[in-house]
């Protein structure tokens, strides 16, 4: 708690950062190698994992800013090259997952043999909840670390044992709930699984909208509001790349229109101005990416702390650029149920071979591979080509009358 206060209120020196690492190692060694016979509040256990990952991220950012480092600091960095080492961090989180048998516990719970979620992870028969719950939260920690490293596939794999579609222990603490969904949604966005990302962001934003007044006195209130804003920005990106507004709740949609309505209209145009907005929203809402390896300690000393972010931003904008032509295709396909290739090529002012390439790109970009390896579609408009005719199949949204009547009654 001493180090946590230091990180929250002051800026820690290099020596203090290294001490904090040693302190974490001692704490985690006790949990992993001795018999812990107490119950601790889940909030504390979440804070341990949360702060551990945060301090690791903070250290990587600090270490990469080489410009104003003194010789003394560089000597210390060389001496303590194991402090906050990426393998050390991943090993601890992985050790908690394995030692706590949490994956097996969650499996057995699905078969009705365990009561982990029902008791919020606490052990009422006199055992300890510490290792089990730390193991559980470490899966969220692993997702977060892998997102910071830009390895989304592995991150989502680490979270697989937790069933996101259900309430779980992760939803019992608002900080963990938000961190889980934010990183889960972000990883899905980067893997082009837009529908999944939209669905989870929508649920989370609705939840924050309904419950944020209960957290006003919480020290994490500012953090909740910040993540809320970032998730709206990510949702705006998802909906611009994959316009599936029917997946979004009315309340969330009206908040989104208020915040980003105008920007989203401009993002649909895919000109230079649109790229600037994609860049701005992504930069505002993405995690603080890190470079896990130590920088070069030789001269010249420059800052490397933005490198990982710049690289991932470049990859993201490259993906957006590839989708540039698709919004035009989507607009035309929505108007017609059948149209010949020649006619559509005419409208889009391209020749037929180019149009075929664009249509193939559209097919490719609106499909993604889900976590089970199955191919899923993100498209709201689908089509097939028969000879030279394009046949459009539009998915009919299910009409929900309830929302409509409720809105009118409220009015």
């Amino acid at each position: 708690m001493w180090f946590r206060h230091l990180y929250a209120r002051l800026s820690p020196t290099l020596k203090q950062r290294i001490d904090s690492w040693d302190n974490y190692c001692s704490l985690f060694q006790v949990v992993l190698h001795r018999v812990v016979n107490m119950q601790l509040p889940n909030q504390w256990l979440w804070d341990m994992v949360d702060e551990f990952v945060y301090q690791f991220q903070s250290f990587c950012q600090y270490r990469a800013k080489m410009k104003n480092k003194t010789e003394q600091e560089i000597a210390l960095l060389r001496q303590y090259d194991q402090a906050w080492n990426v393998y050390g961090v991943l090993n601890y989180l992985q050790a908690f997952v394995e030692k706590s048998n949490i994956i097996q516990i969650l499996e057995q719970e699905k078969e009705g043999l365990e009561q982990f979620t029902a008791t919020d992870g606490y052990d009422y028969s006199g055992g300890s909840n510490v290792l089990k719950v730390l193991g559980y939260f470490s899966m969220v920690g692993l997702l977060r670390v892998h997102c910071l490293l830009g390895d989304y596939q592995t991150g989502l794999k680490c979270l697989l044992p937790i069933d996101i579609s259900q309430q779980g222990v992760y939803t019992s603490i608002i900080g963990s709930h938000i961190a889980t969904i934010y990183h889960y949604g972000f990883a899905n966005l980067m893997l082009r699984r837009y529908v999944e990302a939209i669905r989870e962001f929508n649920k989370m934003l609705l939840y924050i909208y309904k419950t944020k007044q209960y957290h006003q006195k919480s020290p994490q209130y500012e953090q909740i509001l910040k993540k809320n804003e970032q998730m709206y920005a990510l949702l705006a990106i998802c909906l611009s790349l994959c316009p599936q507004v029917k997946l979004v709740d009315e309340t969330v949609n009206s908040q989104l229109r208020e915040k980003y309505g105008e920007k989203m209209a401009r993002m649909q145009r895919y000109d230079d101005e649109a790229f600037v907005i994609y860049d701005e929203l992504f930069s505002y809402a993405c995690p603080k990416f890190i470079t896990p390896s130590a920088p070069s300690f030789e001269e010249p000393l420059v800052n490397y702390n933005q490198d990982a972010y710049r690289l991932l931003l470049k990859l993201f904008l490259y993906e957006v650029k590839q989708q540039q032509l698709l919004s035009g295709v989507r607009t035309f396909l929505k108007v017609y149920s059948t149209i010949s290739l020649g006619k559509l090529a005419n409208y889009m002012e391209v020749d037929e071979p180019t149009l075929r390439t664009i249509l193939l790109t559209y097919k490719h970009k609106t499909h993604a591979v889900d976590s089970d390896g199955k191919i899923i579609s993100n498209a709201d408009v689908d089509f097939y080509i028969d000879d030279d005719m394009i046949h459009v199949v539009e998915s009919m949204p299910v009409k929900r009358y309830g929302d409509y009547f409720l809105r009118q009654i409220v009015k």
Side-chain angles (χ1 to χ4, degrees):
M1 290 177 83
W2 189 90
F3 284 110
R4 196 171 168 210
H5 176 79
L6 178 73
Y7 270 84
R9 291 273 174 269
L10 310 161
S11 55
T13 62
L14 176 56
K15 187 75 186 85
Q16 286 166 332
R17 288 170 192 272
I18 293 166
D19 291 345
S20 179
W21 166 253
D22 291 341
N23 187 52
Y24 256 118
C25 291
S26 317
L27 173 67
F28 286 168
Q29 293 294 352
V30 170
V31 179
L32 286 168
H33 301 300
R34 309 239 180 93
V35 177
V36 179
N37 59 353
M38 61 180 98
Q39 300 264 17
L40 287 180
N42 286 346
Q43 177 74 55
W44 292 12
L45 297 169
W46 162 250
D47 287 343
M48 280 180 202
V49 175
D50 183 45
E51 186 69 16
F52 179 60
V53 176
Y54 166 70
Q55 289 187 15
F56 162 63
Q57 171 193 318
S58 171
F59 181 81
C60 289
Q61 296 279 0
Y62 167 83
R63 183 178 58 185
K65 292 181 190 161
M66 292 301 291
K67 220 171 201 167
N68 304 326
K69 293 267 186 288
T70 60
E71 280 177 21
Q72 213 177 352
E73 286 178 310
I74 291 174
L76 262 181
L77 279 173
R78 283 198 159 134
Q79 186 186 346
Y80 293 103
D81 58 346
Q82 287 308 302
W84 296 111
N85 177 311
V86 63
Y87 296 116
V89 172
L90 289 170
N91 281 343
Y92 270 126
L93 294 172
Q94 196 56 48
F96 280 133
V97 175
E98 282 166 18
K99 189 89 194 273
S100 62
N101 283 336
I102 187 68
I103 296 178
Q104 292 80 339
I105 292 173
L106 290 172
E107 278 304 313
Q108 288 176 326
E109 184 169 56
K110 282 176 192 159
E111 294 160 22
L113 304 171
E114 273 282 352
Q115 285 275 308
F116 181 73
T117 309
T119 58
D120 266 348
Y122 295 110
D123 191 331
Y124 292 118
S125 52
S128 162
N129 68 330
V130 174
L131 187 58
K132 281 194 295 195
V133 176
L134 275 176
Y136 183 89
F137 285 139
S138 291
M139 293 194 279
V140 180
L142 283 165
L143 165 69
R144 195 167 144 196
V145 172
H146 286 302
C147 274
L148 292 173
L149 299 172
D151 182 358
Y152 311 109
Q153 207 90 38
T154 311
L156 289 175
K157 214 184 227 157
C158 294
L159 196 72
L160 264 184
I162 299 178
D163 184 355
I164 287 272
S165 63
Q166 304 292 326
Q167 294 281 321
V169 177
Y170 78 97
T171 57
S172 61
I173 291 158
I174 183 107
S176 114
H177 195 176
I178 290 177
T180 307
I181 300 300
Y182 166 79
H183 290 95
Y184 178 81
F186 184 79
N188 275 304
L189 162 64
M190 294 303 273
L191 293 170
R192 291 213 321 265
R193 301 174 189 162
Y194 304 119
V195 170
E196 187 58 28
I198 292 169
R199 200 174 282 130
E200 290 307 323
F201 284 143
N202 171 50
K203 281 200 303 212
M204 190 66 229
L205 290 166
L206 193 60
Y207 176 74
I208 295 177
Y209 180 79
K210 288 177 177 167
T211 57
K212 66 177 177 209
Q213 73 266 28
Y214 304 120
H215 296 283
Q216 276 170 352
K217 295 216 165 54
S218 147
Q220 291 166 322
Y221 188 60
E222 278 174 23
Q223 188 59 21
I224 294 172
L225 292 185
K226 181 171 184 210
K227 279 280 172 266
N228 186 44
E229 291 303 314
Q230 285 181 311
M231 283 193 276
Y232 270 114
L234 291 175
L235 184 59
I237 291 176
C238 288
L239 287 171
S240 300
L241 293 171
C242 167
Q244 292 256 32
V245 185
K246 61 175 183 286
L247 296 172
V248 180
D249 191 90
E250 192 56 43
T251 325
V252 174
N253 199 14
S254 61
Q255 293 272 322
L256 183 68
R257 293 270 160 256
E258 212 170 284
K259 293 177 198 294
Y260 294 115
E262 189 192 328
K263 286 187 173 170
M264 282 171 75
R266 297 208 317 252
M267 278 153 85
Q268 288 297 323
R269 291 209 300 264
Y270 286 100
D271 48 15
D272 289 346
E273 195 185 347
F275 286 117
V276 173
I277 298 175
Y278 274 111
D279 183 331
E280 174 199 323
L281 292 186
F282 183 84
S283 305
Y284 169 67
C286 67
K288 289 211 169 14
F289 299 114
I290 53 175
T291 310
S293 52
S296 139
F297 295 129
E298 310 306 322
E299 302 287 331
L301 297 178
V302 288
N303 286 349
Y304 300 94
N305 57 319
Q306 291 287 316
D307 286 5
Y309 150 71
R310 284 201 198 98
L311 175 66
L312 285 150
L313 174 67
K314 192 169 123 189
L315 287 172
F316 170 73
L317 289 176
Y318 182 60
E319 176 63 49
V320 172
K321 217 174 192 76
Q322 288 180 329
Q323 303 209 16
Q324 196 169 0
L325 289 164
L326 305 187
S327 66
V329 177
R330 194 184 279 121
T331 318
F332 285 116
L333 293 178
K334 284 200 135 170
V335 181
Y336 292 94
S337 52
T338 51
I339 181 173
S340 68
L341 275 170
K343 199 169 169 187
L344 183 56
N346 228 353
Y347 284 150
M348 290 194 63
E349 297 167 8
V350 291
D351 54 9
E352 278 192 37
T354 314
L355 177 65
R356 280 181 187 270
T357 315
I358 293 174
L359 290 173
L360 269 175
T361 312
Y362 181 86
K363 279 282 190 204
H364 170 61
K365 290 295 181 195
T366 53
H367 285 75
V369 182
D370 72 358
S371 50
D372 304 327
K374 288 205 285 288
I375 291 185
I376 47 170
S377 166
N378 289 317
D380 51 341
V381 178
D382 210 1
F383 64 89
Y384 59 92
I385 300 176
D386 185 14
D387 287 337
D388 281 344
M389 288 301 281
I390 303 170
H391 298 268
V392 180
V393 191
E394 190 164 359
S395 56
M396 289 304 288
V398 184
K399 282 215 166 81
R400 288 206 296 262
Y401 299 106
D403 283 354
Y404 177 78
F405 280 117
L406 282 170
R407 281 206 308 283
Q408 303 307 327
I409 292 166
V410 167
K411 276 185 186 170

